[in-house]
Amino acid sequence: MNAITATGLRRSYGDQEVLKGVDLNVQRGTVFSLLGANGAGKTTTVKILSTLIRADSGSATVAGHDLVRDPDAVRAAIGVTGQFSAVDNLLTGRENLKLMADLNHLGRTEGKLKVQLLLELFDIADAADKIASTYSGGMRRRLDLAMTLVGSPQVIFLDEPTTGLDPRGRRAMWEIVRRIVADGVTIFLTTQYLEEADELADRIAVLDHGKIVAEGTADELKRRIPGGHVLLQFTELRDLESAARVIGSASRDGEALALRVPNDGSVRSLKALLDRLDQNAVAVDSLSMHTPDLDDVFLALTGKPETVTHS
């Protein structure tokens, strides 16, 4: 069973249609990342799936529960960590977690054990009894996510979880996310860092003008964008020239003894290239694959003016 299934989600604000029939399928125990420019509809999608607002039309289930027929069951099964921290600065880290344990109706002993476990898991045990206002940005984000986990959610919505963190803090948060997913929790991630989606997400959907314009693994999305190539390196000029004759369509760098051969990055096309070289006894010193990154994917698939059809 999928953790999240959505079909034909639509939502308008006045005359502005923000979502225009969004379909989603998110497998359990995975990280699913929703990418899109500001105004693409990411936040609206998360608000609908977390029961904060209703869709105008369409249907969805989260953790097996229908959003409209059983919103309370959805809320009981999810956690939401927004872009802005929900930490109470006047309380200590331990007190923040204890408050969440009480709100989740955990017994005294169970709550105490859960709090201590999360303090250790998120590496804030040493600062557990310090006021949260003294925490660094990274510690506050870790505490915020730990508070979300007190209720043992099946699905967590993470809205730009590492905004404002330095590279070390981001990587620490990524490691925590991996550990959470390894325990079977599903993460629905929105992020402004394409590197973050590339690093964490099992599948990525690109949202543009309220529609999903592409979906797949990071590698699948990269292969959709022109610009991928194989760089062949040679030790002898004659081998470079032989390869150029055999391949035909390639950019040549005589000084570096290299050929840049257009390639979609698939195993099949790479094997076909190597077979041609082998059949013609062309000696290649080394090769490296180069594919477009998610920045290229994002720029190619989003931000284009909408096409307007007239009847």
Side-chain angles (χ1 to χ4, degrees), residues 126-164:
D126 290 345
D129 297 310
K130 294 181 179 178
I131 301 297
S133 60
T134 65
Y135 285 13
S136 67
M139 289 176 65
R140 288 171 59 82
R141 291 305 282 167
R142 295 202 300 274
L143 176 59
D144 199 21
L145 184 50
M147 291 166 63
T148 302
L149 282 175
V150 170
S152 301
Q154 298 174 44
V155 178
I156 296 177
F157 294 94
L158 285 184
D159 184 16
E160 301 190 7
T162 61
T163 296

Side-chain angles (χ1 to χ4, degrees), residues 150-308:
V150 170
S152 301
Q154 298 174 44
V155 178
I156 296 177
F157 294 94
L158 285 184
D159 184 16
E160 301 190 7
T162 61
T163 296
L165 299 187
D166 60 26
R168 188 183 301 276
R170 280 212 305 275
R171 292 190 177 277
M173 183 64 79
W174 293 350
E175 189 54 41
I176 288 170
V177 168
R178 291 190 188 100
R179 275 186 261 162
I180 293 171
V181 174
D183 287 336
V185 178
T186 304
I187 301 288
F188 190 101
L189 171 73
T190 69
T191 179
Q192 62 178 327
Y193 298 115
L194 298 180
E195 178 194 8
E196 187 159 86
D198 202 353
E199 187 76 24
L200 291 177
D202 297 289
R203 290 188 70 80
I204 297 168
V206 182
L207 188 65
D208 189 46
H209 296 301
K211 299 177 182 178
I212 300 293
V213 294
E215 183 180 339
T217 66
D219 287 341
E220 287 169 349
L221 293 178
K222 292 171 190 176
R223 285 200 294 268
R224 292 182 54 164
I225 306 303
H229 65 275
V230 176
L231 189 67
L232 301 175
Q233 203 79 39
F234 304 89
T235 54
E236 300 290 341
L237 180 59
R238 65 175 179 271
D239 293 324
L240 168 63
E241 292 173 342
S242 297
R245 285 194 298 270
V246 168
I247 296 168
S249 58
S251 301
R252 174 174 170 164
D253 185 342
E255 186 175 335
L257 294 179
L259 274 184
R260 176 173 165 158
V261 184
N263 191 278
D264 64 6
S266 67
V267 173
R268 178 181 297 178
S269 61
L270 178 60
K271 184 177 183 302
L273 171 63
L274 296 178
D275 285 346
R276 286 173 64 191
L277 294 170
D278 188 50
Q279 288 164 7
N280 288 273
V282 177
V284 179
D285 181 53
S286 65
L287 68 83
S288 54
M289 294 287 300
H290 297 265
T291 59
D293 59 21
L294 278 185
D295 286 348
D296 299 316
V297 173
F298 189 79
L299 292 171
L301 295 177
T302 67
K304 298 174 184 175
E306 288 189 271
T307 56
V308 180

